[in-house]
């Protein structure tokens, strides 16, 4: 019997209802994966540091994207982000959304950098046909509001 079969057997025959409920909650968070990712608290400086940790790897292949994910999981773990099971994926989803938004809406890099990272850390992601992304107009407004703040 393989590992997966052993786990299924344990869940079906030996795990208590409390153990099964705890596993179910971790695997299927309330509100789904998008809600769990949006629920990870991240600051602008943390987002900037996370991006700094992956900029040395240009994504050209799926393996490069997986390496970004690995690095960001490690980054989140080393810095104590919570919840730990969603922190790395949250940073990665936000990094991808940032890249997508820049390629489509700020090709010349004219956005206020501090406001961009703060917005990227806090603006809600939404599910699209291309994966998780920021609503382009709402995200641009968020950046503008942050850039206009006097501090």
């Amino acid at each position: 019997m393989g590992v997966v079969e052993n786990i299924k057997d344990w869940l079906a025959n030996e795990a208590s209802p409390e153990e099964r409920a705890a596993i179910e909650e971790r695997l299927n968070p309330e509100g789904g994966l998008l809600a769990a990712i949006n629920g990870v608290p991240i600051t602008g400086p943390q987002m900037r540091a996370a991006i700094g940790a992956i900029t040395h790897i240009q994504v050209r292949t799926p393996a490069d994207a997986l390496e970004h994910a690995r690095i960001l999981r490690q980054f989140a773990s080393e810095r104590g982000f919570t919840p730990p099971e969603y922190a790395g994926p949250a940073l990665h989803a936000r990094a991808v959304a940032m890249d997508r938004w820049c390629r489509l809406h700020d090709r010349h890099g004219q956005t206020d950098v501090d406001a961009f990272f703060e917005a990227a850390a806090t603006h809600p992601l939404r599910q699209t046909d291309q994966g998780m992304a920021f609503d382009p107009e709402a995200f641009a407004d968020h950046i503008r509001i942050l850039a206009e703040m006097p501090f």
Side-chain angles (χ1 to χ4, degrees), residues 2-136:
V3 173
V4 172
E5 289 80 19
N6 285 337
I7 292 170
K8 286 180 179 178
D9 183 60
W10 176 81
L11 281 171
N13 300 311
E14 297 176 39
S16 71
E18 294 82 17
E19 289 171 319
R20 281 193 293 277
I23 291 168
E24 177 70 24
E25 184 178 330
R26 288 189 75 189
L27 294 176
N28 298 304
E30 188 176 329
L33 179 60
L34 184 61
I37 285 176
N38 277 327
V40 175
I42 304 170
T43 66
Q46 289 172 323
M47 195 71 233
R48 180 178 268 180
I51 296 300
I54 60 173
T55 56
H56 66 285
I57 299 172
Q58 187 173 7
V59 177
R60 294 187 181 115
T61 67
D64 297 333
L66 287 173
E67 182 62 6
H68 274 194
R70 186 196 66 75
I71 291 168
L72 291 171
R73 265 193 323 274
Q74 181 178 351
F75 178 93
S77 175
E78 289 172 355
R79 286 159 181 82
F81 281 73
T82 58
E85 61 271 18
Y86 297 112
L91 291 169
H92 192 237
R94 290 183 178 285
V96 171
M98 291 166 69
D99 180 64
R100 182 178 294 131
W101 187 86
C102 284
R103 283 186 286 111
L104 295 173
H105 304 284
D106 189 28
R107 290 187 187 127
H108 303 293
Q110 297 188 355
T111 299
D112 179 288
V113 176
D114 292 330
F116 174 69
F117 279 106
E118 191 62 40
T122 59
H123 196 80
L125 291 161
R126 64 185 182 119
Q127 191 64 47
T128 70
D129 292 341
Q130 291 84 34
M132 292 183 195
F134 300 120
D135 176 273

